[in-house]
Amino acid sequence: MAVTLNRALDALTGWLVGSIGDDAACGYALAAILQAGMLLNLVAISGLVFIWLERKIAGRIQDRLGPTRTGGRFGWLQTIADGLKLLCKEDLMPGKADWLLFRLAPYIGLAASLSAFLALPFSGMPHPFVAQRLDVAVFFVLAVLGLEVFSVILAGYSSASKWSLFGAMREAAQVVSYEVPLGLCAVTPVMLAGSMDLVTIGDAQQGGFWNWYLLHSPFAFITFGVYFTCATASVNRAPFDLAEAESELVGGFHTEYSGLRWSLFFLAEYGSMMLVSLLAAILFLGGWHGVLPLGLGSGGWLEALLGTGIGGYLGALLGLVLLLTKGLLLVIFMMWARWSLPRLRIDQVMTTCLKYCTPIAAVCFLGATLWQASLPNGLLLRPYNAELLRAQAAGPVATPPADVLIVDTAGGRP
Amino acid sequence: MQHDPAISEQLRERFPEAVVSASPGPIDPWIEIAPERLAEVAAWLKNDPAQDYDYLNGLCVIDYFTADKKLAEAVGAARLVVVYHLSNLSRKRQLTLKVTLPRWANAASETPPTLPSLAALWATAEWHECEAYDLSGVEFTNHPHLRRILCPEDWVGHPLRKDYQMPLEYHGIRGR
Amino acid sequence: MIWHSFFFALFAALACGFALAVVLTSNVVRMAFYLVLSLSATAGLYFLAGADFVGSMQLMIYVGGTLVLLIFGVMLTAQEEFIRISTRPAEVALAAMVGLALLILLSSAAFRVPAWRGDTPAERSLALTPQTVGPIAMALLGLRVDQAPPTADSPPNDRPGYVLIFEIISVHLLVVLVGAAYLARGRIGANSLVRQDPSQPASDLDDLADADPSGSELLEASQTLDSPAETGA
Amino acid sequence: MQTSVEDPRVLEFDVRTDEMLVNMGPQHPSTHGVLRLVLRTDGEVVSEVTPHIGYLHRCAEKIGENLAVRQWIPYTDRMDYLAAMNMNLGWSLAVEKLHGYAPPERGRHLRVIIAELGRIASHLVGMGAYGLDLGSFSPFLYAFREREKILDLFEQACGARLTYSYLTPGGATADLPAGWTTRCLKMLDEFEPILPEYHTLLTSNAIFVKRTCKVGVLTADRAISYGVSGPVLRGSGVDFDLRRDGEPCYTQMYAGYDFQVIVERAGSYPATTGAPPPPPEAVLGDSWHRFYVRMLEVVQSISLVRQAIALYEAEEGLDHGQPFKLGAKLPVGETYLETEAPRGQMGFYLVSLGQPNPWRARARSSSFCNLSVIGEIGRGCLIADIPAIVGSLDIVMGEIDR
């Protein structure tokens, strides 16, 4: 997508300045801004929708209606009204707080949550909608997701409140612990696809739901469950929302926050929820591929009918919708769990992680490996893999110029 | 839950000088104990297997004092009466003990009268004695932590005393 | 190319600036925070150089792991509200000397690399960056794909990869972790934590209340209580 | 008993950290009102809990000395405001005991209906708020949905939804309105099948079980020594319920009713439909058992209300008892009566010198005693256990502070 966009923008700037190609930097910058803006809007709008959805779901679960007043019968504009209210609220800061860290903490969380989206693809080859295609995308996403804990720790520490400090300590302990099983679970699809590139992993599951890694083996199935549990824990959702356990810690790390800064924490939380759900969809649920092979993707009848250009893009857009739908369903599942289950205690959260999730994930990884190795034609280290790598290592592969790395192009990497 | 009709006789037998008086009714019978013998009587009631009053429902203080001449006869001598309500859960028995104390150990300096604490026998007594101290001004000796439990720590006076006057002002808040 | 230079300058400036801030600030938590930013900017430089794996690794291990533990440690051990560190001039001078020496050493090493001396354009060297993640991963498993495949004349285990080193490092780290846990493990009597006798008054709590028997007791007591990391008796 | 160095109980800690004093309350979501708990914590472990009460103190006993006995009824409403009907009943019975008065049969059954409905309504709050304390939101709203229906019935009977002043010395301020019993039975018929839902959401929920079992264990001995009562006492396995074991002037109210005291006997509770068996990890006297006793008492109370309605409707006359005259002089004497309120034994002590107002009016609060155990059972648990314990004690600060 970026290539096309760059070309289009180049053409546009070229037309404007009268020289084509010389000032490509402008086009790249515009493309970068456009992509980052699209991601920002995706997170912001999904945050708006999720808050509304959460209230509606909570209402329905609790035999209530949820928001009904603002914005018509279903209260569509409730979140916007809430946002306006939060904007108008006073931005309070405790007298003893560390002003710099207290003010910065929400932005760090939001930045971490947003930047993880940079490497997340929304459709597969040949038109991967991805801001920056990385060949270590899984690793990158998990690494950046782990940075969100900083905002909580700093918020908790700088608030000069004991409840905040308790929340921050719980969060730090919890997130650092849950990164281990989360990583172990994410390794299984990586191993099955033979790549850490999310586009490759997603495309490896095309052709109907029986090709999804969820149904690859019983082990992979369990791995998905463990992954989702750990993902819920690592984004601080109930029943693992100990950092903000309101019945114990008043508000946890955001006790002292108000107004817009407080809402930024929530935007970051909903962003992370979305991120881990989309990641789960790509890693286990076929990503942008449909439940049945209807030939809408590359090489299907859609491309044959409309040509690889328009047809391909239509297919990719359809994939985007499919991926977002899968992510949304997982987010709804998280909400369902939140409004049904009591909260675990901190020692039980740690026990769940260290005694159950980590060993189960490790065993399942081993099991999935053996399963894959024992399948016909499914040997782990197929000879041509090694040959391919040798070929890569032997000679320099033509990669695009370095400045493209800021806004990578589709298909630029092998 | 019944009152044990024999208990006052047993107490008189066992602690002849401890039992000051006993009322058989008409509604709830009670036994009055001399304050200095309260601790041993209570210990016996708690620990004697035949008695085994294991449950202290509560204790409260009645202030008999009035400035009203019409009531003076009904009220009688100015005094504090500490009332203990005991129960035996297994045998479904109950018992009311009373202890009469002077209103002040030293009226001039308004030193509260003292009574031994029963908190070591029944843990219930711990908070109830605090309450009695707080509201009625009876000091319990050997209490683990006697404090004002309901009123603020720096409150002056004991509100359930009949001659109590609400302070005019408490930290800038109008009292009356 | 202009953006590449721009971002390089940006990240480099961020990394250097926050590194300086780490040295210059006296607040431990802010120090850790500036270190986070500095290391993140360094990760940005790695991404800029096309080393995605190293960049992600930097984020995961240094920023996400080590620094979280660092801040965690600071939070757990801080005795005052916001612990401050003051350095004496002699220490500053010493640190400056060491830092300068290191800078000279690194610079001279860097200028000795032919590709970086300007003989070849920077973009060419970047464009020639081979894909390294796969081979490194395979080498960690014992398969050296960057070497020639074993033939009849060379024995197959000529270049055994990094599997042994990998394992040794893992075991070493495990030993370090276990040792640290053992050293940190303290034994204290139950009584020093738990008050055994309920009849004993909760002395220091009462001191707290007694010290301030005014109407604003609640307010002031809660303020006293709310200062973080207040130590018990 | 001084701290000795050679104490056999030595705790091992992974990392020694500093102790910290934390104020939980008086403005805290899970202290059920204005309770302030000062926690001494070492990391997440609570080494000491010190409750500070009195934020709601208004010296109701002093007020009672200056009011006629019937005028004090609204003040009893404000003690346990979640079970105001049972507070009314306690004081009314104490006054009637002094008078030697027993209400007519119709009034007796009316009181059973109202008292047991009050118990259900109160336990519903206890159950829902307990879910909230443990982080589960939905049961709270389910419980309030049902409680609202009971409050609707109360409103039809007396016009108020929270502070009723309905049962008074002598009887009740008014008889039940026409059709009330039918509506009440309909409500119970709708309510009873819903109870298994609560059990699924809380009682047998795996996380709930993990959070409450073996948390805040109160042994029977300690429970009796601390004078705790009601579901807290029975949750510790003490077979005592004033409705069966109380004084005759109270137990005669329940004469002819078929009910069992909800307590674990020989390892099992009285058979209750729809209730799951106790999980194997539950220990007698822990938070789970206290909660479970309340849940079973709800079923018990439903059955009692049904029986009472049948008996009430079978009564021939329309006399439900006339309230005493407001300014009538009390007989000289004194009396103490405890009744089984939802939160435990609510005792009223009344000393009369022959005036219309009592010389001394004393309210022995059940929550007051129930809360006093928190220092003992809250010691050594985790911070997250404190709401779990306080919630399982089901306290109401209005009653504690009076």
Side-chain angles (χ1 to χ4, degrees):
Chain A
M1 184 170 107
V3 169
T4 326
L5 266 177
N6 283 334
R7 274 183 208 135
L9 289 166
D10 278 352
L12 194 69
T13 45
W15 177 69
L16 278 174
V17 300
S19 65
I20 297 173
D22 276 350
D23 193 16
C26 191
Y28 286 127
L30 275 172
I33 291 168
L34 197 70
Q35 298 201 352
M38 279 165 74
L39 286 177
L40 190 69
N41 275 304
L42 175 80
V43 175
I45 292 172
S46 65
L48 285 185
V49 174
F50 285 166
I51 291 171
W52 173 83
L53 193 67
E54 173 123 49
R55 297 182 60 167
K56 269 301 189 196
I57 288 176
R60 291 293 171 170
I61 286 178
Q62 293 166 354
D63 214 0
R64 303 182 281 121
L65 289 173
T68 52
R69 297 297 175 96
T70 320
R73 219 182 125 200
F74 299 104
W76 296 108
L77 299 179
Q78 186 63 49
T79 327
I80 294 177
D82 288 350
L84 281 175
K85 182 203 75 176
L86 286 169
L87 270 175
C88 300
K89 278 179 115 174
E90 191 185 350
D91 185 19
L92 286 170
M93 189 170 71
K96 286 184 178 177
D98 183 327
W99 62 271
L100 178 73
L101 300 183
F102 186 83
R103 288 183 190 282
L104 275 180
Y107 300 115
I108 296 170
L110 195 62
S113 177
L114 276 175
S115 34
F117 275 92
L118 282 177
L120 203 73
F122 290 89
S123 73
M125 297 301 281
H127 304 289
F129 290 173
V130 51
Q132 170 70 51
R133 189 174 166 194
L134 296 176
D135 55 357
V136 288
V138 178
F139 193 45
F140 176 82
V141 169
L142 290 180
V144 175
L145 192 67
L147 299 188
E148 219 193 318
V149 68
F150 267 111
S151 78
V152 173
I153 293 182
L154 292 178
Y157 192 76
S158 64
S159 292
S161 155
K162 289 183 182 178
W163 297 121
S164 304
L165 194 63
F166 268 119
M169 292 208 284
R170 285 181 174 188
E171 167 88 5
Q174 182 182 330
V175 170
V176 169
S177 312
Y178 270 93
E179 269 179 13
V180 176
L182 196 68
L184 269 175
C185 292
V187 160
T188 303
V190 168
M191 179 269 296
L192 294 177
S195 167
M196 277 205 274
D197 184 359
L198 281 171
V199 178
T200 316
I201 294 176
D203 275 338
Q205 304 173 61
Q206 64 186 333
F209 67 89
W210 51 89
N211 283 343
W212 293 1
Y213 285 150
L214 175 72
L215 301 175
H216 169 266
S217 61
F219 301 106
F221 195 83
I222 298 168
T223 308
F224 174 70
V226 177
Y227 169 86
F228 203 65
T229 311
C230 297
T232 313
S234 69
V235 300
N236 250 323
R237 286 288 295 188
F240 304 101
D241 55 343
L242 291 152
E244 47 193 286
E246 75 296 312
S247 64
E248 298 148 28
L249 302 186
V250 191
F253 65 90
H254 59 65
T255 308
E256 304 293 342
Y257 280 86
S258 66
L260 197 62
R261 281 175 216 284
W262 179 82
S263 59
L264 287 181
F265 278 121
F266 274 81
L267 202 56
E269 183 188 318
Y270 282 104
S272 314
M273 260 170 86
M274 174 91 169
L275 181 78
V276 292
S277 300
L278 289 176
L279 195 60
I282 297 174
L283 290 180
F284 292 97
L285 302 178
W288 39 85
H289 295 292
V291 180
L292 293 170
L294 297 177
L296 296 166
S298 66
W301 59 266
L302 198 65
E303 276 193 359
L305 196 69
L306 297 170
T308 46
I310 297 174
Y313 270 104
L314 270 181
L317 272 177
L318 201 70
L320 182 139
V321 173
L322 271 169
L323 181 68
L324 288 180
T325 313
K326 287 173 187 173
L328 186 69
L329 286 175
L330 291 176
V331 168
I332 289 175
F333 184 84
M334 281 191 187
M335 292 179 180
W336 180 23
R338 170 170 177 188
W339 296 105
S340 307
L341 296 176
R343 182 180 302 117
L344 283 163
R345 210 167 53 200
I346 182 69
D347 60 324
Q348 291 160 351
V349 167
M350 302 309 270
T351 313
T352 312
C353 171
L354 299 173
K355 278 197 183 163
Y356 300 105
C357 287
T358 310
I360 292 173
V363 167
C364 285
F365 172 60
L366 196 67
T369 313
L370 294 176
W371 186 283
Q372 173 77 358
S374 61
L375 280 183
N377 290 330
L379 284 170
L380 182 61
L381 300 173
R382 280 170 294 192
Y384 62 83
N385 259 0
E387 288 306 317
L388 189 71
L389 286 166
R390 268 194 197 98
Q392 280 178 6
V397 180
T399 42
D403 50 354
V404 182
L405 289 168
I406 306 303
V407 188
D408 198 6
T409 54
R413 295 297 177 86
Chain B
M1 196 66 95
Q2 295 281 352
H3 284 272
D4 183 2
I7 184 73
S8 72
E9 280 316 306
Q10 288 170 354
L11 265 176
R12 271 184 211 283
E13 222 169 84
R14 169 111 195 168
F15 304 100
E17 69 280 28
V19 179
V20 178
S21 63
S23 158
I27 305 164
D28 285 340
W30 47 264
I31 299 162
E32 189 182 333
I33 306 289
E36 57 275 12
R37 307 300 302 273
L38 174 71
E40 51 181 310
V41 171
W44 180 71
L45 286 171
K46 166 89 195 296
N47 297 327
D48 188 74
Q51 304 304 326
D52 193 25
Y53 284 95
D54 48 5
Y55 193 91
L56 176 67
N57 296 61
L59 66 94
C60 70
V61 183
I62 313 163
D63 183 16
Y64 286 97
F65 172 82
T66 183
D68 187 351
K69 296 239 165 25
K70 280 183 279 179
L71 270 172
E73 197 189 333
V75 171
R79 63 194 189 278
L80 288 181
V81 176
V82 185
V83 187
Y84 293 87
H85 294 285
L86 297 171
S87 300
N88 175 336
L89 293 192
S90 46
R91 276 177 233 158
K92 322 268 186 268
R93 295 245 186 82
Q94 61 180 1
L95 174 65
T96 308
L97 293 185
K98 284 191 178 183
V99 179
T100 302
L101 293 172
R103 292 192 77 235
W104 299 108
N106 181 347
S109 62
E110 297 214 329
T111 313
T114 57
L115 202 60
S117 166
L118 302 184
L121 291 172
W122 297 282
T124 327
E126 189 181 332
W127 278 31
H128 278 90
E129 283 170 358
C130 287
E131 193 189 333
Y133 164 73
D134 185 4
L135 300 182
S136 302
V138 176
E139 204 165 294
F140 292 89
T141 51
N142 292 330
H143 187 280
H145 183 203
L146 196 66
R147 63 197 183 272
R148 283 194 180 269
I149 193 167
L150 291 174
C151 294
E153 286 283 339
D154 59 339
W155 194 259
V156 179
H158 304 284
L160 283 182
R161 291 286 184 111
K162 289 285 178 183
D163 53 353
Y164 172 76
Q165 290 282 314
M166 183 78 178
L168 282 171
E169 186 253 320
Y170 174 76
H171 293 295
I173 307 162
R174 233 185 92 191
R176 63 189 149 101
Chain C
M1 216 50 233
I2 171 171
W3 284 114
H4 184 254
S5 308
F6 171 72
F7 277 108
F8 179 80
L10 181 71
F11 283 130
L14 281 176
C16 295
F18 283 117
L20 273 179
V22 171
V23 178
L24 295 179
T25 188
S26 60
N27 182 319
V28 170
V29 180
R30 282 202 191 172
M31 222 179 264
F33 174 63
Y34 293 143
L35 196 55
V36 169
L37 295 180
S38 181
L39 290 180
S40 305
T42 316
L45 286 177
Y46 289 143
F47 284 117
L48 207 58
D52 301 341
F53 185 71
V54 184
S56 302
M57 209 60 148
Q58 169 92 358
L59 284 181
M60 186 82 146
I61 294 176
Y62 285 100
V63 186
T66 314
L67 273 173
V68 167
L69 288 181
L70 188 68
I71 292 188
F72 205 35
V74 169
M75 271 173 26
L76 280 175
T77 52
Q79 297 289 320
E80 288 159 39
E81 190 185 342
F82 295 116
I83 190 162
R84 300 200 168 266
I85 290 180
S86 55
T87 35
R88 280 172 297 170
E91 289 170 338
V92 174
L94 195 67
M97 268 167 58
V98 173
L100 209 63
L102 194 64
L103 180 69
I104 292 168
L105 185 71
L106 286 176
S107 316
S108 66
F111 282 119
R112 244 174 244 154
V113 177
W116 294 358
R117 272 201 305 243
D119 294 349
T120 44
E123 66 261 43
R124 267 213 35 90
S125 72
L126 280 166
L128 291 177
T129 310
Q131 292 295 308
T132 49
V133 186
I136 290 175
M138 300 305 272
L140 284 176
L141 288 171
L143 193 67
R144 289 293 294 262
V145 288
D146 53 339
Q147 304 296 324
T151 50
D153 13 314
S154 70
N157 56 356
D158 188 22
R159 308 297 288 259
Y162 312 134
V163 70
L164 183 66
I165 303 156
F166 184 55
E167 289 301 322
I168 287 175
I169 292 174
S170 317
V171 173
H172 178 75
L173 277 176
L174 184 71
V175 169
V176 168
L177 277 175
V178 171
Y182 179 76
L183 289 177
R185 203 175 170 80
R187 289 165 69 88
I188 54 168
N191 283 337
S192 60
L193 175 70
V194 178
R195 198 181 301 280
Q196 280 294 289
D197 189 355
S199 63
Q200 289 288 323
S203 54
D204 17 11
L205 283 185
D206 297 322
D207 294 345
L208 196 78
D210 292 343
D212 181 30
S214 64
S216 54
E217 177 227 355
L218 167 66
L219 186 70
E220 297 197 16
S222 53
Q223 278 172 0
T224 322
L225 287 170
D226 281 343
S227 64
E230 183 195 309
T231 49
Chain D
M1 197 158 72
Q2 281 301 309
T3 304
S4 62
V5 186
E6 290 81 24
D7 192 276
R9 297 195 327 167
V10 171
L11 302 179
E12 279 199 0
F13 285 91
D14 288 345
V15 180
R16 180 75 207 276
T17 48
D18 281 316
E19 288 189 340
M20 186 154 86
L21 285 182
V22 189
N23 236 340
M24 196 180 224
Q27 290 90 25
H28 189 277
S30 63
T31 50
H32 294 247
V34 282
L35 168 65
R36 174 177 163 218
L37 298 171
V38 176
L39 311 180
R40 178 188 292 281
T41 61
D42 183 358
E44 288 267 346
V45 183
V46 177
S47 55
E48 187 177 327
V49 190
T50 316
H52 290 250
I53 59 175
Y55 290 95
L56 217 54
H57 180 56
R58 54 228 182 255
C59 216
E61 296 175 7
K62 185 78 173 178
I63 297 170
E65 290 176 5
N66 298 304
L67 294 173
V69 285
R70 260 191 69 196
Q71 287 176 317
W72 203 44
I73 285 284
Y75 290 88
T76 61
D77 276 335
R78 284 149 184 84
M79 287 181 186
D80 185 351
Y81 43 77
L82 293 178
M85 285 292 191
N86 303 68
M87 298 291 111
N88 294 168
L89 178 69
W91 180 239
S92 306
L93 284 172
V95 174
E96 285 167 13
K97 184 183 171 192
L98 188 68
H99 279 271
Y101 167 91
E105 283 294 282
R106 190 177 166 88
R108 170 166 86 98
H109 299 310
L110 183 150
R111 283 183 171 182
V112 174
I113 299 173
I114 296 296
E116 294 306 318
L117 278 181
R119 192 183 311 280
I120 298 172
S122 165
H123 282 348
L124 279 174
V125 180
M127 181 211 88
Y130 196 38
L132 211 55
D133 288 342
L134 299 178
S136 185
F137 284 77
S138 301
F140 182 73
L141 283 126
Y142 293 156
F144 265 68
R145 178 186 63 196
E146 303 309 323
R147 181 180 153 88
E148 286 299 304
K149 293 179 186 165
I150 297 176
L151 297 194
D152 284 343
L153 288 171
F154 283 168
E155 191 182 7
Q156 288 161 19
C158 67
R161 294 178 71 85
L162 188 70
T163 50
Y164 314 104
S165 306
Y166 181 51
L167 305 178
T168 58
T173 50
D175 201 355
L176 295 174
W180 191 92
T181 47
T182 325
R183 290 194 290 274
C184 181
L185 285 175
K186 185 165 166 281
M187 191 283 294
L188 292 180
D189 288 341
E190 286 166 4
F191 173 46
E192 206 169 7
I194 296 174
L195 275 166
E197 263 183 34
Y198 300 155
H199 287 301
T200 316
L201 277 170
L202 292 175
T203 320
S204 54
N205 179 297
I207 297 178
F208 180 86
V209 166
K210 272 187 166 237
R211 284 293 307 274
T212 54
C213 286
K214 297 196 183 77
V215 170
V217 180
L218 181 65
T219 58
D221 285 351
R222 297 311 289 161
I224 291 171
S225 172
Y226 272 97
V228 306
S229 49
V232 183
L233 183 69
R234 290 190 284 277
S236 291
V238 180
D239 187 358
F240 191 78
D241 186 328
L242 285 177
R243 287 178 288 176
R244 184 196 65 196
D245 308 319
E247 288 185 47
C249 65
Y250 179 54
T251 48
Q252 73 178 12
M253 198 175 114
Y254 287 91
Y257 284 88
D258 173 33
F259 74 102
Q260 265 187 303
V261 175
I262 304 294
V263 71
E264 188 182 57
R265 295 188 193 86
S268 67
Y269 279 91
T272 311
T273 47
E281 52 266 56
V283 178
L284 197 62
D286 62 7
S287 300
W288 191 90
H289 276 272
R290 291 193 277 273
F291 174 83
Y292 189 60
V293 165
R294 277 189 201 100
M295 294 297 285
L296 297 191
E297 281 191 5
V298 169
V299 183
Q300 181 88 85
S301 292
I302 291 173
S303 142
L304 277 171
V305 174
R306 287 219 174 96
Q307 295 175 41
I309 286 178
L311 289 165
Y312 171 83
E313 288 181 329
E315 279 306 316
E316 292 293 317
L318 283 175
D319 182 17
H320 65 276
Q322 282 306 308
F324 292 171
K325 268 179 72 181
L326 196 63
K329 288 189 173 174
L330 290 169
V332 179
E334 57 175 78
T335 182
Y336 180 72
L337 181 68
E338 286 194 351
T339 54
E340 187 73 28
R343 283 174 181 74
Q345 300 174 15
M346 187 70 202
F348 285 100
Y349 184 50
L350 168 57
V351 180
S352 159
L353 296 181
Q355 300 163 285
N357 50 323
W359 182 253
R360 178 79 164 93
R362 155 88 183 153
R364 183 264 187 203
S365 155
S366 49
S367 292
F368 186 79
C369 297
N370 289 358
L371 180 66
S372 65
V373 297
I374 185 83
E376 173 143 341
I377 62 177
R379 204 186 298 144
C381 68
L382 297 175
I383 286 183
D385 289 335
I386 294 292
I389 294 172
V390 174
S392 75
L393 295 175
D394 191 19
I395 51 169
V396 165
M397 291 313 289
E399 188 191 343
I400 292 173
D401 292 343
R402 287 159 302 183

